[in-house]
Amino acid sequence: MNTWTTRAVTAATASAAALALAGCGGTGGTAAAGSGGDGLTVVAGFYPLEWAAQRVGGDRVDVSSLTPPGAEAHDLELAPQDVAAVSEADLLVYLEGFQPALDEAAQNEAADTAWDAGQAADLSLTAEEHGHEGETAEEHAEHAEEGEEGEALDPHFWLDPTRLASVGDALAERLAEADPDGAATYEENAAALRADLEALDAEMSAGLADCAVDTLVTGHDAFGYLADRYGLEVVGISGLSPSAEPSPAAQAEITELVRERGVTTVYTETLVDPAVAETVATEAGAQTAVLDPLEGLTDESAGSDYLEVMRANLATLQEGQSCT
Ligand SMILES: [Zn+2]
């Protein structure tokens, strides 16, 4: 190990300790402005991007996330110290269209250092935006025909492990631009990340290949890419964002669909109030189970990192969808 690397590791460790201390009493985000060390300072929008940046950056980077553990990622609000962290970071890893507050900060505070993971993730899926409050099914259909609401890009790419692997590869290239001496390390780390994610993907493909129930009814519309990858059809109760509650008419339609398709399990989420999903399940005579969209990690998460939580999701799905 050369002296530069040794110094960088020491600085990163010291900075991580400072972050841990700051995290204890903090009310806003967990990002701290400027590490002052030799390593690259990377600020990530939310958990899967933070995890990928840590895996690819390794000891050469100091990664923090703007979404505090346990907070709902879509509705991220930035405190002044978060905005400062965004503007001072060597690299901002975010997802355009997922966290509106961060899109704005990326544009205004980090024009040269913001990196949108959506390009490498190939955001190809759309989902229907759910109806306006109180709207009937016919009104909803009319609006859709008129193009008033229609389709929105689905941002939840990380629930397909192969797309997250592509983001890791692209991130290695972007980190190497900022830190050319680390290029080989970033490439190796991204390859190791890809290997882990492809192993997970193989497990999921095998585990979900033969399921009695193909319709996946989830709290919000987060599992489109997972469903697309593994041959399931997803129905989100709350649309693309968990804060968009369904109208009574939409909720009744989903309940009917659960009955018709013989869905036995309706999934709730770790970070979202399960009330609506529980009502749908009760009315349709189904049970509930927790599926984690991995927008954040908490003490209640069914694992300590992305890979563990995804494997817990797989086990939950195999039972809930009656897979053999
Ligand atoms: Zn979401």
Side-chain angles (χ1 to χ4, degrees), residues 72 74 98 155-156 158 220-222 240-242 293 295:
E72 207 287 297
H74 287 263
F98 181 62
H156 303 90
W158 60 91
H220 83 290
D221 220 340
L240 281 174
S241 170
E295 291 175 358

Side-chain angles (χ1 to χ4, degrees), residues 25-50:
T27 50
T30 52
S35 72
D38 287 315
L40 288 183
T41 311
V42 177
V43 170
F46 63 107
Y47 178 70
L49 299 182
E50 175 193 16

Side-chain angles (χ1 to χ4, degrees), residues 96-119:
E96 181 81 35
F98 181 62
Q99 298 175 300
L102 188 52
D103 291 349
E104 197 184 320
Q107 200 174 17
N108 297 337
E109 308 290 335
D112 298 330
T113 51
W115 186 78
D116 173 18
Q119 305 286 328

